[in-house]
Amino acid sequence: LTSDYKEGANNSNNTGHSAGLHSGQWDWHSYMDKGSIQGHFCAHFPETAQLLHEGLRVVPNGSTKDQDLYPHLLFEGTPFGFCFFSTLSGNSSIQ
């Protein structure tokens, strides 16, 4: 994950936040946006993407068996599916 963090610090791939809420540089990195997995996130942050992909798998009826996992992720394909992290650069603030 350290390499993913460093990539995030060096890659400003903004995904639509309001500039009125902060000063300085605040970058958002979306894994899932409105239910769609973002390919550029997976390319830039492969370790984090793998952890999220494994952690968001849906398991029916509380089963813990890998073969019982659904082939889709929780909230994938819905307009309410969001998963992201953000990077607030030095000398920046959120008001």
Side-chain angles (χ1 to χ4, degrees):
L1 293 178
T2 301
S3 62
D4 284 0
Y5 169 78
K6 290 177 182 177
E7 173 67 25
N10 295 323
N11 177 11
S12 59
N13 192 1
N14 297 330
T15 57
H17 57 277
S18 172
L21 299 176
H22 71 284
S23 63
Q25 186 172 342
W26 185 13
D27 299 319
W28 291 36
H29 312 282
S30 292
Y31 169 72
M32 182 183 292
D33 186 21
K34 297 179 184 173
S36 296
I37 305 294
Q38 304 299 300
H40 62 272
F41 181 99
C42 298
H44 288 288
F45 312 109
E47 292 179 63
T48 303
Q50 181 180 357
L51 288 171
L52 290 170
H53 185 75
E54 292 171 2
L56 294 175
R57 296 291 298 270
V58 178
V59 181
N61 303 321
S63 175
T64 58
K65 298 177 183 175
D66 286 342
Q67 67 267 23
D68 290 340
L69 291 174
Y70 288 164
H72 62 276
L73 303 179
L74 185 63
F75 291 109
E76 185 176 14
T78 73
F80 309 107
F82 292 91
C83 181
F84 65 91
F85 70 91
S86 63
T87 307
L88 188 64
S89 298
N91 297 320
S92 300
S93 65
I94 302 171
Q95 300 153 3

